[in-house]
Amino acid sequence: GGNDGTIRLWDLESGKQVRQLHGHHGPIWAVAFAPDGKRALAGGQTGGLVLYDVATGEQVRSFASHPDAVHAAVFTPDGRRILSGCFDGVLRLWDVETGQPLREFKGHQDAIMCVACSPDGCCALTGGLDNDRTMRLWDLASGRELRCFRGHGERIMSVAFSPDGRQAISSCWDSTIRLWDLRTGHEIRCFRDHGTHVYSAVFSPSGKHIISGNEGGTLSVWDTGSGELLGTFETQHKGHISALALTGRGRRLLSCGSDRTVRVWLAPE
């Protein structure tokens, strides 16, 4: 999704555009595939959240407009619900089939910039622009905030669960990634050698590595257990890497840059 208000579907093998999806007015700031790959979701600056049929490109439904911009949206692992993070600081849970809101999660005092759902579909993580620079863990069934994680010194740009759901990472404009124990709330490790803002970080499929993208357009690979920097890669992105994502089977890594390009990489094991 881009600032031109269109969502573009690409074939990873050929690099060719398959189709464009329309229906938004204004920049697109959040996109996500359903777990089965048959539907896609897009949210953006105007507060709209739209569900599409990937095969036809048709709109399936739109969800009640948010009061402010949507900067983050994900499906739960079963594909039956959607989580959206809004600039009003509220996390919202939606029913995919009916389009109805199920619950609101309130605690952030400023915009939510990122959201992740746990592998078991029971919890969510959020981070954003709060002055207290916190990441928060939520129980989806009750709506309760389970834990608040403190340690960052700037805005939190991405959050992710480890594959086993026991740990999490957060990336931040303070040039760090932090690894957290979700049960205790303690910081396990801080990855510091980025030199500039970190916009996105993901776990490898095994959880043994962390891949991060920074403001300078560099990818870094870290050892989760030791914190060692294993390598850095110049991506040819002209500008910052705004988002990272793994394909469904985790074999490929996608990097999205402020230079309006998406690049495909073989993901570390």
Side-chain angles (χ1 to χ4, degrees), residues 5-7 19-24 50 52 57-59:
T6 62
I7 303 99
R19 65 172 49 87
Q20 291 187 21
L21 310 178
H22 300 278
H24 273 277
V50 180
Y52 295 90
E58 298 296 321
Q59 288 190 35

Side-chain angles (χ1 to χ4, degrees), residues 101-218:
L102 300 174
R103 183 164 285 113
E104 292 187 347
F105 305 80
K106 297 181 179 180
H108 286 285
Q109 301 304 309
D110 207 332
I112 294 175
M113 300 296 287
C114 48
V115 60
C117 190
S118 62
D120 62 7
C122 293
C123 296
L125 283 169
T126 53
L129 306 186
D130 294 277
N131 288 332
D132 60 6
R133 313 307 188 194
T134 55
M135 179 179 77
R136 296 168 189 260
L137 179 68
W138 307 90
D139 179 77
L140 296 189
S142 67
R144 286 193 307 119
E145 181 182 307
L146 299 176
R147 200 170 297 283
C148 186
F149 302 81
R150 303 176 187 274
H152 280 297
E154 253 291 357
R155 60 180 62 183
I156 296 173
M157 299 303 292
S158 78
V159 292
F161 284 91
S162 62
D164 64 9
R166 297 178 180 177
Q167 298 176 343
I169 50 174
S170 53
S171 66
C172 181
W173 272 22
D174 63 6
S175 304
T176 70
I177 301 168
R178 295 175 193 263
L179 178 69
W180 307 90
D181 184 304
L182 292 179
R183 185 182 62 84
T184 65
H186 294 158
E187 181 183 310
I188 300 171
R189 186 167 290 107
C190 183
F191 304 79
R192 297 183 181 277
D193 297 330
H194 291 89
T196 186
H197 298 337
V198 187
Y199 279 80
S200 187
V202 294
F203 283 98
S204 67
S206 67
K208 295 179 180 180
H209 301 103
I210 294 167
I211 308 104
S212 61
N214 71 14
E215 188 176 36
T218 301

Side-chain angles (χ1 to χ4, degrees), residues 233-248:
F233 306 90
E234 298 303 322
T235 62
Q236 298 184 352
H237 280 298
K238 295 177 175 63
H240 65 263
I241 296 175
S242 55
L244 296 173
L246 290 166
T247 56

